[in-house]
Amino acid sequence: MFVPLSVRCIRMAMTGVLLGTLVGCASQITIRAAAPRTPETIFSPLPLPPPNAIRTQTGRPGPDYWQQRADYDIDATLDADARVVSATAVIRYYNRSPDELRYLWLHLEQNLYRPDSRGGQRGVGGSSIPNRDVNTNGMEVSFVRIGGRDVPLRVHDTVARLDLPEPLAPREGMLEIEIGWRFEVPRLGDARMGWEQTRNGTIFQIGQWYPAVCKYDDVHGWNTLPYLGQGEFYSDFGRFDVRLTVPRAHLVAATGVLMNPEEVLTAEQRVRLTRAAASPSAVIIRGLDEIGSAASRPAGAGPLTWHFVADDVRSFAWAASPAFIWDAAGITERGRVPSERDGTVALPPGTLVQSFYPVEATPLWFDNVTMLRMAVLHFGGMWGVYPYPTATNVNGVVGGMEYPMIVYCSERMNERELFEVTAHEAAHWWFPMVVNTDERRHAWFDEGFVTFMTNYAMRERRAAWFDPREWAARVADDLGRGGQPAATRSDEIDSGAYGALAYDRTAWALYCLREKVLGPQRFDDAMHEYIRTWAYKSPQPADFFRVIEDAAGCDLAWFWRGWLYEDARLDQAVVGVRQRGENATATFENRGEMVMPLEFLVRYSDGSSETRTTGVEVWYASDRCELSWATGGRRVREVIVDPGDVLPDVDRSNNRRSGG
Ligand SMILES: [Zn+2]
């Protein structure tokens, strides 16, 4: 999801207020050293879980790697007037684990909006997400059957235990569950779903709306962390075959491919869609002037059923409204991607890129298909081709949220903001929609990656939209204030710091790793290896660290520890410069808890200059180091540490020193 900069900066703003006015409380925010780590140092190996035959020492899935699979056939009906969704589903659950299962756990995430939910009890300030201004009855499950027999469901807040009549056998045991449920659509459900009344009708944006089998894995067993609002979701891949029955006037956007265009679109719209699939620029499927026109919907009376199928996805979301303008364009580039289903290589025939939005979002959204297409191509070029047949953005009440093949985005006025959110959500199609990380535990593990990716897309769209100096200064302001580390568990992150930690600090860590530690080639080789290795699988943070270190060929424990697992400060200083004959010597100090390689600019009095760099090893034995180099007879005028102002150095006043 997307946390706007105004929210991402709350913590800094609050800290400033405290410093200025509440001296008595200053102990809460006094800058202090991280906890002493002797005899461990910043360079000690990380205490990672021991490797095994499931997750190996090189961070790859081992010969015994397994993951579960869940396929969903869903029939849902939207009562647009009552704003109620009623549905039935057949869930086919495949137990590929070595364990016999006597019960399953399900997520019933709509229960978050019940007035007595655990997430609701956290109250205002318990979550960074503006939410639940309207309560609902949550998910009302009408029946659960296995083998035609009713089975009891024990509901505990947003999770429910389903005891099986017969144990589910290990390794390819399969179970079919029939289930029926309904829920009222909350006006805004934790900024991830909701409805909005627009001039031409209600826009429904639906997500986290069906009973989803919790992920059972080799690390935690059943992943039953409740849905509290901040932590997102973690699930298995599967096939979704979904029929959505909505009023005839509605257009529907959803995860997957529309299987029955001849039943739900006009002949003219089908012609336009075919044209769009081959067009690099936007083709109007339904235009502004066609909204409300009966001719823009198939003739007849009564509701229509839209049928979507999606393969190899970890969730399914959809949006419906009579108010939609619909634009589309095509990406025809082909790519090679692994397929989770059968382990073979699939060749997607291309991607249909789509935007759905109301008149209120014009004129800005007339350009959104172009923005989205550019973002998908940008990320595809940098991190691996987009593997899915559709890529859709829907404008409505949801600020910014990602689901497989479909994202939601509320911005209607500001071009930069719209591009940033569009690109951010599209980047989530790589993390965690393909590389399936556990968002409910590790927000940094996808939000930080996605924010990092978005910076490069912003720069490509408009160079001025990405300013490394501004980023470094913002991250530096947030370091070492005695707060939480970036890798704090999603729901435990202080709400005001959620954006600063999971998004910005992690994104800046990856930027510095790429630009200042490994260099782009070495970083990209390693990151490509990580993505290729874990596409359609579920890596843990330890797997990521191990793959990157293995594929980049270097030890980075100091980096992960300083940036992710401690609230460490970086303060590099140059404390002395002297010159003897043809040689110059500069003395540097590392005054914070974090370490980074040294980069410094030497300016000579003849007007020439050079940039010199070291590895991080200069800090192995001491926080002080001396570096000498041949000047070729030139006089050193000045030495400047981190001359590009890219590192989050908390004190830049000691980064510059005149020659002796
Ligand atoms: Zn996000």
Side-chain angles (χ1 to χ4, degrees):
M1 80 184 310
F2 187 77
V3 177
L5 197 58
S6 55
V7 176
R8 276 143 69 181
C9 295
I10 281 176
R11 182 169 177 235
M12 287 156 52
M14 281 172 51
T15 306
V17 168
L18 284 170
L19 273 172
T21 60
L22 298 175
V23 178
C25 298
S27 61
Q28 291 172 21
I29 44 86
T30 302
I31 293 178
R32 62 168 174 77
R37 48 174 111 80
T38 48
E40 190 181 78
T41 78
I42 187 118
F43 294 105
S44 301
L46 285 184
L48 301 181
N52 56 37
I54 301 174
R55 296 170 192 272
T56 71
Q57 67 279 7
T58 63
R60 269 73 164 189
D64 293 348
Y65 181 84
W66 55 268
Q67 62 189 15
Q68 310 291 69
R69 175 183 176 86
D71 294 342
Y72 297 80
D73 293 350
I74 303 177
D75 250 303
T77 300
L78 170 68
D79 181 336
D81 295 329
R83 297 191 291 264
V84 166
V85 174
S86 313
T88 59
V90 176
I91 305 172
R92 276 178 300 283
Y93 185 68
Y94 298 84
N95 179 19
R96 294 162 167 180
S97 81
D99 310 320
E100 180 180 272
L101 300 177
R102 290 184 298 107
Y103 49 81
L104 306 186
W105 283 93
L106 303 180
H107 288 293
L108 305 179
E109 289 172 335
Q110 288 297 314
N111 284 353
L112 176 59
Y113 312 119
R114 292 174 55 90
D116 57 352
S117 75
R118 286 170 65 177
Q121 287 162 8
R122 297 184 81 192
V124 176
S127 162
S128 66
I129 314 301
N131 61 355
R132 55 180 94 80
D133 55 346
V134 172
N135 287 313
T136 71
N137 291 329
M139 219 167 224
E140 298 170 61
V141 176
S142 50
F143 67 87
V144 189
R145 289 184 205 119
I146 294 175
R149 300 209 324 256
D150 286 322
V151 285
L153 187 67
R154 308 205 192 287
V155 179
H156 308 286
D157 197 52
T158 64
V159 293
R161 192 174 113 158
L162 182 64
D163 285 37
L164 306 181
E166 306 286 339
L168 181 57
R171 299 194 175 83
E172 291 304 328
M174 197 276 275
L175 174 72
E176 249 183 38
I177 306 160
E178 295 169 80
I179 187 165
W181 74 98
R182 71 192 288 283
F183 64 93
E184 182 190 342
V185 182
R187 197 193 68 77
L188 179 59
D190 280 76
R192 302 207 169 90
M193 59 167 306
W195 59 267
E196 179 189 11
Q197 191 59 48
T198 70
R199 195 185 311 167
N200 295 307
T202 307
I203 296 174
F204 293 90
Q205 291 170 300
I206 307 295
Q208 288 165 263
W209 63 286
Y210 58 90
V213 185
C214 294
K215 189 168 171 76
Y216 183 77
D217 67 22
D218 59 291
V219 180
H220 296 101
W222 285 108
N223 285 265
T224 52
L225 288 180
Y227 186 35
L228 298 175
Q230 207 158 260
E232 299 192 285
F233 62 97
Y234 185 39
S235 50
D236 284 302
F237 289 99
R239 176 187 174 90
F240 284 77
D241 189 311
V242 181
R243 287 177 168 79
L244 300 165
T245 301
V246 300
R248 181 166 295 257
H250 284 228
L251 295 181
V252 180
T255 301
V257 174
L258 176 63
M259 304 303 286
N260 61 339
E262 67 289 347
E263 290 173 17
V264 295
L265 302 180
T266 66
E268 173 62 23
Q269 284 162 352
R270 298 198 300 272
V271 169
R272 294 175 186 176
L273 260 185
T274 305
R275 184 151 28 98
S279 167
S281 55
V283 171
I284 297 169
I285 310 303
R286 187 178 56 174
L288 177 57
D289 53 348
E290 296 171 289
I291 293 176
S293 149
S296 82
R297 304 297 303 121
L304 286 173
T305 298
W306 296 59
H307 180 201
F308 292 89
V309 171
D311 277 312
D312 299 333
V313 290
R314 67 201 281 281
S315 185
F316 183 100
W318 55 283
S321 180
F324 282 145
I325 299 164
W326 179 5
D327 298 335
I331 293 175
T332 52
E333 288 81 351
R334 284 162 180 268
R336 296 171 66 81
V337 290
S339 163
E340 192 272 338
R341 294 196 75 197
D342 51 13
T344 60
V345 169
L347 290 174
T351 297
L352 185 68
V353 182
Q354 312 176 89
S355 292
F356 292 78
Y357 53 96
V359 61
E360 286 85 347
T362 62
L364 188 59
W365 272 66
F366 288 143
D367 197 31
N368 188 255
V369 152
T370 312
M371 290 184 184
L372 181 60
R373 185 175 182 279
M374 178 190 165
V376 170
L377 285 171
H378 167 89
F379 297 134
M382 209 159 167
W383 308 113
V385 70
Y386 178 74
Y388 292 114
T390 62
T392 301
N393 194 3
V394 180
N395 180 261
V397 69
V398 177
M401 184 58 200
E402 70 281 7
Y403 293 102
M405 300 187 227
I406 187 169
V407 297
Y408 301 152
C409 177
S410 67
E411 181 58 40
R412 288 174 179 165
M413 301 302 293
N414 182 292
E415 184 197 352
R416 176 186 170 149
E417 191 82 2
L418 177 59
F419 182 77
E420 184 175 13
V421 181
T422 297
H424 176 103
E425 305 310 343
H428 275 301
W429 287 328
W430 280 258
F431 305 100
M433 298 309 163
V434 168
V435 178
N436 184 16
T437 56
D438 180 354
E439 301 175 281
R440 188 143 302 168
R441 270 192 185 76
H442 308 297
W444 67 273
F445 205 16
D446 70 304
E447 296 298 355
F449 283 46
V450 157
T451 307
F452 160 74
M453 292 164 70
T454 303
N455 279 338
Y456 291 95
M458 294 287 279
R459 188 175 71 183
E460 182 178 320
R461 178 79 178 181
R462 201 158 301 173
W465 283 358
F466 173 56
D467 178 359
R469 277 194 169 82
E470 181 271 327
W471 266 85
R474 185 148 46 83
V475 172
D477 273 351
D478 191 55
L479 288 180
R481 293 180 179 274
Q484 297 166 306
T488 302
R489 197 167 79 171
S490 306
D491 280 307
E492 292 175 20
I493 299 176
D494 178 73
S495 59
Y498 188 62
L501 293 176
Y503 292 62
D504 293 353
R505 191 183 298 183
T506 308
W508 208 242
L510 293 172
Y511 183 81
C512 291
L513 183 61
R514 184 175 193 265
E515 305 297 333
K516 296 296 169 190
V517 178
L518 296 176
Q521 186 70 58
R522 198 175 183 184
F523 177 93
D524 292 355
D525 286 349
M527 200 67 165
H528 292 161
E529 181 72 11
Y530 169 65
I531 294 169
R532 191 191 64 72
T533 301
W534 285 100
Y536 304 104
K537 296 189 176 70
S538 299
Q540 293 288 320
D543 301 318
F544 169 69
F545 303 145
R546 283 174 165 140
V547 172
I548 295 295
E549 294 187 19
D550 187 76
C554 68
D555 169 20
L556 294 167
W558 56 273
F559 185 88
W560 315 126
R561 179 181 278 110
W563 280 90
L564 299 174
Y565 289 99
E566 292 184 355
D567 179 36
R569 293 168 312 150
L570 179 73
D571 183 11
Q572 297 181 334
V574 51
V575 298
V577 180
R578 57 183 201 278
Q579 192 148 1
R580 193 169 296 151
E582 300 269 299
N583 283 312
T585 301
T587 306
F588 301 91
E589 286 183 2
N590 192 64
R591 296 177 173 181
E593 303 81 30
M594 189 189 286
V595 291
M596 284 292 280
L598 263 177
E599 177 181 341
F600 58 97
L601 176 72
V602 185
R603 286 210 174 107
Y604 296 101
S605 37
D606 66 359
S608 64
S609 64
E610 64 178 318
T611 300
R612 307 189 66 85
T613 57
T614 74
V616 76
E617 299 79 17
V618 295
W619 310 119
Y620 268 4
S622 169
D623 289 336
R624 192 178 172 90
C625 74
E626 283 197 345
L627 299 171
S628 298
W629 67 97
T631 62
R634 294 171 292 179
R635 294 295 306 169
V636 175
R637 184 159 63 83
E638 193 178 29
V639 170
I640 303 170
V641 174
D642 183 28
D645 298 343
V646 168
L647 300 183
D649 193 315
V650 298
D651 182 3
R652 293 205 162 270
S653 70
N654 54 29
N655 282 24
R656 189 180 279 259
R657 191 142 189 124
S658 304

